[in-house]
Amino acid sequence: MDRQKQRMTLTAAVAVLVPLAAACGSEQADGGSGAADGTARPLTGVRWDVDSVTVDGRKHPVADGAYLAIGADGTAEGSYGCNGFSAKATVDGDRVRLTDATATERACEDRSMAVEQALARTLTAGPLTSDVDGDHLTLKAADGDTVRLTGHPDAG
């Protein structure tokens, strides 16, 4: 009878510990950008459509087609709206840094070019703080300039 109680105790302990061990191993490998309740998308592997860029306190809508995709392999690519770009990407916790950016040099309408230049400067000026909230991402520069994006699956 003692042996049977030991097995039951061991079985009960395993039943409690296995889910805890699984929960400990379920952290995201994306630098922690997902929410603890699993509602936020990871920062990498998502196509983030750019909604707006705010520079010096002025919000500017961007051209349709502007997006950012950061790969788990340390690369980033996207479009400022008219011109495409690629860069190296570093994600460390909620910090994102895009470096060594290269872009196409298409001529676009004047207004579009000014917004593209503001977006390019904001994305590559230095480390950005990321905040993922469900399907929405906000990237904020140290000077307060921000880029707001909406995520779509199957990117990256």
Side-chain angles (χ1 to χ4, degrees):
M1 195 77 162
D2 244 353
R3 206 152 183 61
Q4 188 175 7
K5 282 184 181 178
Q6 286 176 342
R7 279 187 223 181
M8 289 177 63
T9 302
L10 182 57
T11 302
V14 169
V16 169
L17 294 176
V18 168
L20 291 175
C24 289
S26 67
E27 295 177 33
Q28 294 181 5
D30 66 352
S33 59
D37 65 2
T39 58
R41 291 182 183 271
L43 182 61
T44 60
V46 176
R47 178 188 166 115
W48 295 100
D49 288 344
V50 181
D51 300 321
S52 66
V53 60
T54 302
V55 176
D56 297 328
R58 294 189 59 209
K59 183 177 177 179
H60 306 277
V62 297
D64 288 342
Y67 76 94
L68 169 65
I70 301 174
D73 63 352
T75 61
E77 57 120 24
S79 171
Y80 298 127
C82 176
N83 287 288
F85 70 92
S86 63
K88 290 181 183 177
T90 305
V91 178
D92 183 14
D94 69 345
R95 295 285 202 192
V96 177
R97 182 183 286 267
L98 300 180
T99 57
D100 300 329
T102 59
T104 59
E105 297 180 3
R106 295 185 194 127
C108 308
E109 62 183 76
D110 289 340
R111 182 190 160 293
S112 175
M113 288 305 297
V115 173
E116 281 201 11
Q117 290 167 355
L119 178 58
R121 274 193 311 274
T122 302
L123 288 175
T124 61
L128 302 165
T129 302
S130 67
D131 180 21
V132 179
D133 183 12
D135 290 340
H136 299 283
L137 168 63
T138 301
L139 296 174
K140 188 171 187 177
D143 63 4
D145 292 349
T146 59
V147 180
R148 299 199 191 284
L149 308 98
T150 302
H152 297 280
D154 303 322

